[in-house]
């Protein structure tokens, strides 16, 4: 793989990871505050933890997929 292709794939992988993190965080915050009834602080912390976990799993999955 050429160096420019590698940079492009890393850039797109990073962008997708950021989008996944943001979407999961916002979804949990909305569900936590409006549906479940958690306080704002608990919903923010839970959203950040779940967003980080989702992005971590995405990175593990893409790294494993890339090595196969």
């Amino acid at each position: 793989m050429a160096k420019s292709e590698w940079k492009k794939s890393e850039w797109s992988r990073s962008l997708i990871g950021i989008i996944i993190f943001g979407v999961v965080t916002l979804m949990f915050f909305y569900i936590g505050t409006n549906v479940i009834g958690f306080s704002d602080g608990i919903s923010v912390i839970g959203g950040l933890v779940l967003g980080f976990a989702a992005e971590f799993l995405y990175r593990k999955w893409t790294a494993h997929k890339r090595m196969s």
Side-chain angles (χ1 to χ4, degrees):
M1 179 183 301
K3 191 171 186 169
S4 63
E5 291 176 24
W6 179 81
K7 284 184 179 181
K8 184 178 179 182
S9 68
E10 280 295 313
W11 184 84
S12 63
R13 197 174 105 190
S14 296
L15 181 63
I16 292 170
I18 291 169
I19 291 170
I20 289 172
F21 177 80
V23 167
V24 170
T25 302
L26 289 173
M27 281 178 43
F28 185 82
F29 178 75
Y30 176 78
I31 291 170
T33 55
N34 295 326
V35 177
I36 299 172
F38 290 152
S39 67
D40 289 347
I42 298 292
S43 294
V44 167
I45 291 169
L48 290 173
V49 168
L50 287 178
F52 173 74
E55 184 179 0
F56 179 77
L57 290 173
Y58 169 73
R59 290 207 176 240
K60 287 290 239 186
W61 179 68
T62 56
H64 176 62
K65 184 178 164 185
R66 196 172 46 186
M67 291 196 172
S68 303

